[in-house]
Amino acid sequence: MAYKVTLISGDGIGPEVSMATKKCLEATGVVFDWEEVLAGSAAIEKYGTPLPENVLKSVRKNKVAIKGPIITPIGKGFRSVNVALRQKLNLFACLRPAKSIPGIVSAYSDIDLVIVRENTEDLYAGIEFERGQPNTRKLILTLEKLQEKKISHDAAISIKPISPAASRRIVKFAFEYALSNNRKKVTAVHKANIMKFTDGLFLETAQRVAKEYEGRVKFDDCIVDNLAMQLVKNPQKFDVLVLPNLYGDIISDLCAGLIGGLGVAAGANIGKNIALFEPVHGSAPKYAGLNKVNPTAMILSGVLMLKHLGEFEAARRLEAAVIAVIKEGIYVTYDLKKIRDDASAVGTQEMADAICKRLR
Ligand code: NAD
């Protein structure tokens, strides 16, 4: 039976890494019935919106989706389609494994971490007030009445909601993931020393949830700035990290750097009964259409999808093929060559073809 899966190619380098991923997934022998839908810049041209309703409808129906990256204009234009998808589909958990791949030159060769990022709240909730707007002024005046600190009247404001329910849900997800994947420890990451009410609540909730898992999974916590330093100096001491949205975003890229860069970092967004798989990296517009970037991050997101579908043998074979091609170091993209401008680097599709060949 074919798996009906929504495929969102995205924009920038999205269509290229999506095409590469599609052929690798198909080369495993698992049969897919792709439902391809447009989001991002391509959707604006056709539908006048970056996130047409048919995208959400398709994912809700199929329950499984894989997507390439989508651009988010900085400081203007439409809000992030990536964030909107996670929020509208209630994909509350973002799972980002960071595991060293043999053959990749990096500061460490023994990284094996999992990042669990909360996806629905925090400064990412999109509750923002623009500088100089009447509502912003009203908010500032109200805030000045409610507490003693002065706020510059020409300030812009972003709101950071952190709730007990969403915190509990994500921390429980991290512990359940740890249990079912034979992980030993969960570390809650926060800045509760400064943000006593929001991050304080996240930490307090995490400590309470940890008690339910006592004796089965270890627990500790770490302040986010200290974590950033420790991850660079001694990453082996961490196992599963659970973080609020913004810290999760930043630390994911740091961990991608630990395993060799954004070109190899895979991810999944998971809700109650819907899962959407996507690489950690963005749409890298300067490389769009050049057949140059590394398809690994999205292919490994496809491996996560195969596991989610219960296709464990296909997942194991595809992951092994990716590792073999990278270890051999011949049919790999520029970012995986020891010298960056190595003329023997191959393109996105050629690397995917080499992976497909390994599968046969
Ligand atoms: P980016 O991840 O797109 O690229 C940063 C750099 O990382 C690139 O210039 C490139 O050097 C490297 N890189 C990224 N992907 C690579 C790959 N597959 N192979 C080799 N090298 C790769 O980050 P950015 O430039 O900050 O963001 C570009 C756009 O993507 C922005 O609009 C941003 O909002 C968006 N974005 C989208 C997502 C998503 O779709 N989930 C995630 C992050 C950023």
Side-chain angles (χ1 to χ4, degrees), residues 123-238:
L123 286 162
Y124 255 77
I127 310 168
E128 292 205 291
F129 292 84
E130 194 177 348
R131 170 177 78 105
Q133 292 300 309
N135 276 349
T136 314
R137 197 168 158 72
K138 260 193 242 165
L139 177 67
I140 291 172
L141 293 175
T142 308
L143 287 172
E144 285 185 341
K145 276 190 209 140
L146 292 173
Q147 49 90 53
E148 285 166 9
K149 295 215 172 76
K150 292 276 161 230
I151 302 169
S152 175
H153 283 198
D154 60 355
I157 307 258
S158 293
I159 303 288
K160 173 175 166 129
I162 301 276
S163 71
S167 302
R168 180 173 168 76
R169 185 172 62 175
I170 195 67
V171 178
K172 261 197 101 66
F173 179 94
F175 274 98
E176 288 298 324
Y177 178 89
L179 272 183
S180 50
N181 289 277
N182 204 21
R183 296 273 171 174
K184 305 286 175 251
K185 185 173 78 168
V186 171
T187 302
V189 182
H190 59 88
K191 186 82 188 170
N193 51 334
I194 304 298
M195 272 161 276
K196 294 187 189 298
F197 297 143
T198 48
D199 284 20
L201 177 59
F202 182 81
L203 175 60
E204 193 188 303
T205 310
Q207 286 164 335
R208 205 166 296 141
V209 173
K211 289 221 165 69
E212 298 167 26
Y213 293 85
E214 229 163 32
R216 292 185 289 163
V217 182
K218 286 188 199 144
F219 172 76
D220 63 7
D221 70 277
C222 192
I223 294 177
V224 65
D225 41 345
N226 181 21
L227 177 86
M229 189 268 289
Q230 303 250 16
L231 278 173
V232 172
K233 280 192 79 172
N234 193 9
Q236 298 81 359
K237 67 187 267 191
F238 297 105

Side-chain angles (χ1 to χ4, degrees), residues 22-160:
K22 195 174 158 191
K23 68 178 151 193
C24 289
L25 285 168
E26 286 173 352
T28 62
V30 174
V31 183
F32 294 94
D33 178 5
W34 303 106
E35 194 164 294
E36 299 197 29
V37 289
L38 291 180
S41 313
I44 295 185
E45 279 165 35
K46 192 161 176 203
Y47 301 99
T49 165
L51 184 53
E53 197 49 41
N54 73 314
V55 174
L56 296 167
K57 223 167 132 185
S58 170
V59 183
R60 284 194 184 109
K61 175 173 59 88
N62 296 328
K63 312 259 183 279
V64 183
I66 184 157
K67 83 172 255 305
I70 295 174
I71 194 165
T72 308
I74 294 177
K76 57 180 165 51
F78 61 84
R79 282 200 168 270
S80 170
V81 171
N82 311 302
V83 174
L85 273 167
R86 294 168 201 157
Q87 287 176 348
K88 285 181 191 281
L89 298 167
N90 204 13
L91 305 173
F92 65 88
C94 179
L95 190 67
R96 290 175 165 175
K99 195 169 189 314
S100 298
I101 300 176
I104 296 185
V105 183
S106 171
Y108 297 97
S109 55
D110 54 352
I111 302 289
D112 188 6
L113 287 166
V114 178
I115 290 165
V116 176
R117 163 187 175 190
E118 204 287 324
N119 248 351
T120 65
E121 295 197 320
D122 199 354
L123 286 162
Y124 255 77
I127 310 168
E128 292 205 291
F129 292 84
E130 194 177 348
R131 170 177 78 105
Q133 292 300 309
N135 276 349
T136 314
R137 197 168 158 72
K138 260 193 242 165
L139 177 67
I140 291 172
L141 293 175
T142 308
L143 287 172
E144 285 185 341
K145 276 190 209 140
L146 292 173
Q147 49 90 53
E148 285 166 9
K149 295 215 172 76
K150 292 276 161 230
I151 302 169
S152 175
H153 283 198
D154 60 355
I157 307 258
S158 293
I159 303 288
K160 173 175 166 129

Side-chain angles (χ1 to χ4, degrees), residues 67 69-72 82 262 278 280-284 287 293-294 334:
K67 83 172 255 305
I70 295 174
I71 194 165
T72 308
N82 311 302
L262 284 168
E278 64 174 339
V280 173
H281 66 72
S283 57
Y287 293 108
V293 295
N294 191 343
Y334 73 98

